[in-house]
Amino acid sequence: MITLNAVHRYGKGTHNSRYMRKVHCKIPGIIYGKEFLEKELLILLEHDIVFNLQKNSNFFSQKLLINLDKKKFCVIVKDIQYHAFKSILLHIDFLYVNENI
Protein backbone atom coordinates (compact mmCIF):
# COMPACT_ATOMS: atom_id res chain seq x y z
CA MET A 1 0.00 0.00 0.00
CA ILE A 2 1.37 3.41 -0.98
CA THR A 3 1.65 5.97 1.82
CA LEU A 4 1.42 9.72 1.20
CA ASN A 5 2.04 12.49 3.71
CA ALA A 6 -0.36 15.41 3.61
CA VAL A 7 -1.00 18.63 5.50
CA HIS A 8 -4.25 20.48 6.10
CA ARG A 9 -5.17 23.17 3.60
CA TYR A 10 -6.81 26.13 5.26
CA GLY A 11 -7.16 28.51 2.31
CA LYS A 12 -9.67 28.03 -0.47
CA GLY A 13 -9.95 29.49 -3.92
CA THR A 14 -7.95 29.92 -7.08
CA HIS A 15 -5.44 32.37 -5.68
CA ASN A 16 -4.45 30.12 -2.79
CA SER A 17 -4.24 27.02 -5.01
CA ARG A 18 -2.01 28.77 -7.54
CA TYR A 19 0.22 30.10 -4.78
CA MET A 20 0.69 26.65 -3.24
CA ARG A 21 1.42 25.06 -6.63
CA LYS A 22 3.87 27.74 -7.74
CA VAL A 23 5.74 28.63 -4.53
CA HIS A 24 5.56 25.46 -2.43
CA CYS A 25 5.26 22.81 -5.20
CA LYS A 26 2.19 21.31 -3.55
CA ILE A 27 -1.12 20.34 -5.11
CA PRO A 28 -4.47 20.83 -3.43
CA GLY A 29 -6.65 17.83 -2.82
CA ILE A 30 -9.79 16.77 -1.02
CA ILE A 31 -10.90 13.61 0.77
CA TYR A 32 -14.60 12.78 0.41
CA GLY A 33 -16.56 10.15 2.30
CA LYS A 34 -20.02 10.90 3.66
CA GLU A 35 -20.38 7.60 5.46
CA PHE A 36 -17.12 7.85 7.40
CA LEU A 37 -16.22 11.55 7.61
CA GLU A 38 -18.21 14.40 9.09
CA LYS A 39 -17.07 16.79 6.35
CA GLU A 40 -14.60 16.89 3.51
CA LEU A 41 -10.90 17.22 4.35
CA LEU A 42 -8.92 19.80 2.40
CA ILE A 43 -5.30 18.69 2.01
CA LEU A 44 -2.01 19.55 0.31
CA LEU A 45 0.31 16.94 -1.20
CA GLU A 46 3.80 17.07 -2.69
CA HIS A 47 3.38 17.53 -6.44
CA ASP A 48 6.44 15.60 -7.61
CA ILE A 49 5.67 12.52 -5.52
CA VAL A 50 2.05 12.27 -6.70
CA PHE A 51 3.00 13.10 -10.31
CA ASN A 52 5.51 10.24 -10.43
CA LEU A 53 3.11 7.80 -8.75
CA GLN A 54 0.21 8.58 -11.10
CA LYS A 55 2.30 7.56 -14.13
CA ASN A 56 1.70 3.95 -13.06
CA SER A 57 -1.79 2.73 -14.00
CA ASN A 58 -2.11 0.78 -10.72
CA PHE A 59 -2.19 4.09 -8.84
CA PHE A 60 -5.84 4.63 -9.81
CA SER A 61 -7.07 1.19 -8.74
CA GLN A 62 -5.26 0.52 -5.46
CA LYS A 63 -5.84 1.76 -1.95
CA LEU A 64 -3.58 4.51 -0.65
CA LEU A 65 -2.78 5.50 2.91
CA ILE A 66 -2.72 9.23 3.65
CA ASN A 67 -1.06 10.44 6.85
CA LEU A 68 -2.68 13.67 8.02
CA ASP A 69 -1.98 15.10 11.49
CA LYS A 70 -1.13 11.73 13.06
CA LYS A 71 -4.31 10.20 11.59
CA LYS A 72 -4.35 7.68 8.78
CA PHE A 73 -6.94 7.60 6.03
CA CYS A 74 -7.38 4.71 3.60
CA VAL A 75 -8.45 6.20 0.25
CA ILE A 76 -8.74 5.55 -3.46
CA VAL A 77 -8.20 8.10 -6.21
CA LYS A 78 -11.47 9.45 -7.56
CA ASP A 79 -10.25 12.13 -9.98
CA ILE A 80 -7.14 14.05 -11.03
CA GLN A 81 -7.20 17.37 -12.85
CA TYR A 82 -4.31 18.08 -15.23
CA HIS A 83 -3.07 21.33 -16.75
CA ALA A 84 -4.08 21.74 -20.40
CA PHE A 85 -0.57 21.84 -21.89
CA LYS A 86 1.96 21.78 -19.03
CA SER A 87 2.85 18.47 -17.45
CA ILE A 88 1.58 19.36 -13.97
CA LEU A 89 -1.29 18.27 -11.78
CA LEU A 90 -3.83 20.86 -10.68
CA HIS A 91 -6.01 19.00 -8.17
CA ILE A 92 -6.69 15.51 -6.87
CA ASP A 93 -9.83 13.99 -5.33
CA PHE A 94 -9.81 11.00 -3.00
CA LEU A 95 -12.63 8.84 -1.70
CA TYR A 96 -12.30 7.54 1.85
CA VAL A 97 -12.91 3.80 2.09
CA ASN A 98 -13.02 1.37 4.96
CA GLU A 99 -9.69 -0.41 5.40
CA ASN A 100 -11.41 -3.76 5.93
CA ILE A 101 -13.07 -3.81 2.52
Side-chain angles (χ1 to χ4, degrees), residues 16-79:
N16 188 359
S17 295
R18 284 183 183 160
Y19 177 77
M20 293 311 256
R21 279 193 293 268
K22 196 173 245 187
V23 176
H24 297 290
C25 293
K26 295 188 182 280
I27 57 167
I30 190 164
I31 301 176
Y32 295 105
K34 262 187 184 177
E35 297 176 14
F36 306 108
L37 301 172
E38 293 177 14
K39 62 178 187 173
E40 298 87 17
L41 297 173
L42 304 174
I43 60 172
L44 288 170
L45 298 161
E46 290 292 332
H47 177 272
D48 295 340
I49 293 171
V50 177
F51 185 77
N52 289 330
L53 287 172
Q54 62 90 31
K55 290 179 182 177
N56 187 349
S57 61
N58 292 338
F59 178 73
F60 297 96
S61 61
Q62 69 182 3
K63 291 182 184 178
L64 309 171
L65 194 63
I66 294 183
N67 293 328
L68 178 67
D69 293 338
K70 299 179 183 176
K71 292 182 182 176
K72 297 182 184 216
F73 298 94
C74 188
V75 299
I76 56 172
V77 176
K78 196 67 176 166
D79 186 37

